[in-house]
Amino acid sequence: MKRVFSGVQPTGNIHIGNYLGALRQFVELQEDHECIYCIVDEHAITLPQDPKELRKHILDVAALYLSIGVDPKKSIVFVQSDVPAHAELSWILTCNAYTGELFRMTQFKSKSQNKESAPAGLLMYPVLMASDILLYDTDVVPVGNDQKQHIELTRDLAIRVNNTVKKTFVVPEGRFMKEGARIMSLDEPTQKMSKSAENIHSRISLLDDANKIKKSIMKATTDSDGIIKFDVENKPGVSNLMNIYSVFSGKSIEDLEKEYEGRGYGDFKKDLVEVTIEALAPIQELYAEIRESQELIDILKDGAERANAIAIKTLQRVKDNFGLGL
């Protein structure tokens, strides 16, 4: 079977954009792939974190992995910092990356914009991400569309090492959601949904209660023409809500346009509230059962042992090929 790797940062609550853009793929892929899913806590510290909150969020994300359907019997689930090879391989790849390609990364330019200086970790973030992927001889990386540039860098680094040093890495492929399924901010529908946005109603988190979900959807940006039609360029707000409705309900965009023909945004949003609450309810119920359990800790410890066993072999191959160690 082909091997899959992906990870999520433990910063803030996972929102429906994360879920529909990447996490839902995790469950689908584990049925016919060898899957490795990581909580990437070392990525989180590219920006300052409260240690207690960070540890809490690590367990939050791990519990959500299991709540959405990731099966630890089929997949490896672990915490990145419990496998030291991630950081060691990152240094080796750093020595094979170029500053120019790192400065061109869209996310770095965005997060460092208007700042006199930025943490070096923010610049090196994509190299650590490449290390996460290449460490497991990964074939497929399920991620959101916003990570395409990082996947390309990972591929470039793998090919560069393979061509200049020795055949060392598997060159991975990204697995992306269709463009139409990308979930955008509820208040700024031309921007992606973000965990870090100041307006809490710009997103719906997987653990939001019914009242919060209702408020966020009812406040969501639409337009003034009152027509429920999918048109990303001219009606980004309505199109975004239709995407959410479609993926949660299983109804096509075309069916939604017919169903709400001649009806206003009020009816549409009220129905979307019900659809969203219903879709998230099973996830929230499972989360409540496992979040404080010893089973969760045991799963992460077992996952780290299994991940380490793979990572150590890959790292030794890399060090041998680079002439490192004795």
Side-chain angles (χ1 to χ4, degrees):
M1 292 191 293
K2 288 188 174 183
R3 182 174 286 164
V4 169
F5 178 92
S6 197
V8 172
Q9 282 198 48
T11 51
N13 289 329
I14 293 175
H15 55 66
I16 60 172
N18 304 133
Y19 174 55
L20 299 174
L23 294 180
R24 199 167 61 159
Q25 300 183 67
F26 289 12
V27 181
E28 299 169 2
L29 287 165
Q30 71 182 354
E31 298 305 319
D32 52 8
H33 293 75
E34 181 185 358
C35 295
I36 302 172
Y37 299 131
C38 185
I39 297 97
V40 289
D41 56 340
E42 290 176 339
H43 284 284
I45 62 171
T46 55
L47 297 173
Q49 302 291 335
D50 178 272
K52 290 183 180 178
E53 285 297 306
L54 181 58
R55 290 194 178 97
K56 173 184 176 297
H57 287 314
I58 288 170
L59 294 175
D60 290 345
V61 172
L64 279 169
Y65 275 174
L66 304 182
S67 301
I68 65 170
V70 172
D71 185 346
K73 294 179 181 178
K74 297 177 180 178
S75 303
I76 297 174
V77 181
F78 73 103
V79 181
Q80 180 187 31
S81 61
D82 285 338
V83 179
H86 285 259
E88 189 169 355
L89 180 57
S90 181
W91 173 249
I92 296 171
L93 289 180
T94 294
C95 295
N96 288 270
Y98 301 125
T99 56
E101 60 192 350
L102 297 178
F103 279 117
R104 286 194 295 272
M105 288 288 133
T106 302
Q107 288 199 22
F108 172 75
K109 289 193 288 187
S110 173
K111 291 181 179 180
S112 62
Q113 191 174 20
N114 300 323
K115 293 181 181 178
E116 192 172 312
S117 184
L122 199 60
L123 180 66
M124 303 311 301
Y125 174 107
V127 180
L128 179 57
M129 181 175 171
S131 302
D132 299 336
I133 296 165
L134 299 179
L135 189 58
Y136 297 97
D137 291 334
T138 302
D139 298 295
V140 180
V141 188
V143 288
N145 287 281
D146 61 312
Q147 295 296 319
K148 283 184 178 181
Q149 193 179 32
H150 290 165
I151 298 301
E152 285 306 311
L153 178 68
T154 300
R155 289 173 52 82
D156 289 345
L157 288 172
I159 292 168
R160 186 175 301 155
V161 170
N162 288 349
N163 289 341
T164 60
V165 180
K166 189 177 181 180
K167 172 65 176 174
T168 304
F169 295 119
V170 172
V171 180
E173 297 285 343
R175 185 180 192 267
F176 308 100
M177 290 292 284
K178 294 178 181 178
E179 189 64 29
R182 189 179 183 189
I183 305 304
M184 311 301 284
S185 169
L186 297 181
D187 64 340
E188 295 287 347
T190 57
Q191 300 176 12
K192 71 170 185 172
M193 189 173 285
S194 171
K195 291 187 286 186
S196 60
E198 290 186 15
N199 181 7
I200 63 169
H201 293 297
S202 69
R203 60 187 174 272
I204 296 172
S205 297
L206 294 185
L207 300 178
D208 280 348
D209 61 29
N211 286 333
K212 164 61 170 60
I213 292 171
K214 181 178 180 180
K215 285 182 181 178
S216 297
I217 290 176
M218 298 309 290
K219 287 175 175 285
T221 298
T222 51
D223 52 48
S224 60
D225 67 16
I227 299 172
I228 298 166
K229 180 181 178 181
F230 191 83
D231 183 345
V232 174
E233 184 175 347
N234 298 306
K235 298 171 68 67
V238 174
S239 299
N240 187 41
L241 295 179
M242 292 182 75
N243 267 332
I244 296 170
Y245 200 136
S246 176
V247 292
F248 276 146
S249 68
K251 296 179 180 180
S252 69
I253 295 294
E254 293 77 13
D255 287 343
L256 290 175
E257 288 180 336
K258 291 177 183 177
E259 182 177 346
Y260 289 94
E261 186 176 359
R263 299 169 65 185
Y265 293 152
D267 286 346
F268 176 77
K269 284 185 173 182
K270 286 177 184 177
D271 291 347
L272 177 56
V273 169
E274 292 183 12
V275 167
T276 304
I277 292 172
E278 184 178 348
L280 297 184
I283 295 172
Q284 295 177 356
E285 289 171 9
L286 285 172
Y287 178 88
E289 290 178 15
I290 198 170
R291 173 59 180 83
E292 302 298 331
S293 69
Q294 181 60 40
E295 179 187 7
L296 179 62
I297 305 299
D298 293 341
I299 286 169
L300 292 175
K301 287 181 177 179
D302 176 69
E305 290 180 8
R306 293 161 66 192
N308 257 310
I310 299 169
I312 288 170
K313 290 181 181 178
T314 306
L315 184 62
Q316 189 57 57
R317 182 179 74 230
V318 174
K319 292 169 77 171
D320 288 345
N321 289 356
F322 274 89
L324 298 172
L326 297 176

